[in-house]
Amino acid sequence: NIPAANIVGVCTSGFTKTGGFGKLIGQYFSTSTAEFSSSSGSFQDAHTITFTPSSSTSKFLILYLPARVTFGSNPDGEFAFTDGTNTSNQYRIAGGSHGSPTYKTPSITFFHNHTLSGSTTFTARYRNISGNSSSITLGDNGSASLLVVLEIEQ
């Protein structure tokens, strides 16, 4: 038998609490069967979710589950979210190799630590960062992509 206090100590060792841990005060959900495709090296808009935050000091955890992401012959993609003014952290997802198309169904989590007030729209953004003309397709015209925003009190 291991005392619960020992387990907590083991599980949290090495972690530092910064800025406090708030409680969940809002959850927003959206689905879309829209499909977006581009080979541009500049960010392109994709799926969106519009909501009104409960507090102007909240932070947001964005869970993004596109129905699919396909990469043409060899691009790498970069993905982020924007509120129109500020951009979340960005993720790079490697595409196909050796000229082969690649199909992926990622779950991507973004942390948006900018304060917001009033009606807000988060927009998924993507781009080809490989410098070639291969396309990236995000979403699916038949299957639903999912967006969940969790509002965290600070």
Side-chain angles (χ1 to χ4, degrees):
N1 290 337
I2 301 172
N6 291 353
I7 294 173
V8 171
V10 169
C11 294
T12 60
S13 70
F15 290 98
T16 303
K17 180 181 173 185
T18 58
F21 296 101
K23 65 181 178 178
L24 186 64
I25 60 172
Q27 49 192 341
Y28 312 97
F29 176 85
S30 175
T31 61
S32 172
T33 56
E35 181 176 297
F36 304 88
S37 186
S38 176
S39 60
S40 176
S42 300
F43 274 110
Q44 304 297 306
D45 290 349
H47 301 103
T48 63
I49 185 169
T50 301
F51 63 97
T52 302
S54 298
S55 171
S56 63
T57 59
S58 297
K59 306 301 181 202
F60 303 91
L61 191 64
I62 305 166
L63 310 172
Y64 184 42
L65 294 88
R68 69 177 176 159
V69 177
T70 61
F71 296 90
S73 60
N74 201 20
D76 283 351
E78 191 168 50
F79 302 86
F81 267 85
T82 182
D83 62 17
T85 303
N86 301 291
T87 301
S88 69
N89 53 312
Q90 298 174 341
Y91 287 103
R92 180 178 183 165
I93 298 178
S97 60
H98 310 294
S100 300
T102 303
Y103 179 99
K104 299 181 184 222
T105 53
S107 298
I108 313 170
T109 304
F110 298 89
F111 182 66
H112 197 78
N113 64 351
H114 305 282
T115 58
L116 303 168
S117 63
S119 180
T120 298
T121 299
F122 281 151
T123 303
R125 305 198 80 209
Y126 69 105
R127 67 180 178 162
N128 174 345
I129 58 173
S130 299
N132 59 33
S133 60
S134 294
S135 66
I136 297 172
T137 302
L138 192 59
D140 183 85
N141 282 327
S143 300
S145 294
L146 173 67
L147 263 169
V148 177
V149 176
L150 302 176
E151 183 177 359
I152 303 165
E153 181 182 60
Q154 290 295 297

